[in-house]
């Protein structure tokens, strides 16, 4: 399982801010915050997706969120195995394991 070497805030406009993870396997992944929020692995959010939803940015269930819902207000480590976020809508139940984050990398190489 790949482990992060570093995690940094990715600059950008409101919709493109996110994080970049440099993995110990040599790959770098950049995740816009809306992409991370819509891929939340908690039970409540997973109930809004079907197994066929491969691109969380295209999910209609997330179109009626309040302003700022996809803005990360806080990012925190969960043990030595994951990240958590507190989102603009107050949601903070998702635990994004390193394995989950590595598998959901949105770059063109990983989406092949």
């Amino acid at each position: 399982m790949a482990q992060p070497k570093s995690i940094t805030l990715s600059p950008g406009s409101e919709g493109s801010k996110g994080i970049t993870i440099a993995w110990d396997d040599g790959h770098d992944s950049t995740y816009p915050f809306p992409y991370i929020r819509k891929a939340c692995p908690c039970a409540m959010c997973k109930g809004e997706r079907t197994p066929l939803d491969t691109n969380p940015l295209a999910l209609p269930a997330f179109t009626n969120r309040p302003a700022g819902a996809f803005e990360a207000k806080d990012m925190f480590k969960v043990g030595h195995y994951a990240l958590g976020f507190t989102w603009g809508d107050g949601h903070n139940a998702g635990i994004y394991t390193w394995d989950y984050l590595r598998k959901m990398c949105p770059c063109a190489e990983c989406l092949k």
Side-chain angles (χ1 to χ4, degrees):
M1 175 172 55
Q3 296 289 311
K5 292 192 313 185
S6 66
I7 302 169
T8 56
L9 183 65
S10 298
S13 64
E14 190 63 33
S16 64
K17 285 183 181 177
I19 59 170
T20 297
I21 300 177
W23 298 99
D24 63 1
D25 64 2
H27 189 74
D28 290 345
S29 302
T30 299
Y31 307 89
F33 283 137
Y35 182 83
I36 297 170
R37 173 63 180 95
K38 292 175 182 180
C40 179
C42 82
M44 182 177 73
C45 292
K46 284 181 85 169
E48 296 178 356
R49 299 193 300 267
T50 70
L52 299 178
D53 291 326
T54 57
N55 180 358
L57 288 176
L59 297 177
F62 284 97
T63 58
N64 296 321
R65 295 285 189 229
F70 304 114
E71 180 182 341
K73 298 294 186 181
D74 188 28
M75 178 177 74
F76 49 92
K77 279 191 161 183
V78 178
H80 295 287
Y81 67 95
L83 286 179
F85 298 89
T86 299
W87 300 101
D89 60 0
H91 184 70
N92 66 355
I95 297 174
Y96 299 78
T97 64
W98 305 139
D99 188 49
Y100 182 65
L101 285 165
R102 182 63 180 91
K103 286 179 182 175
M104 66 179 259
C105 177
C107 80
E109 178 185 339
C110 291
L111 291 177
K112 288 181 185 177

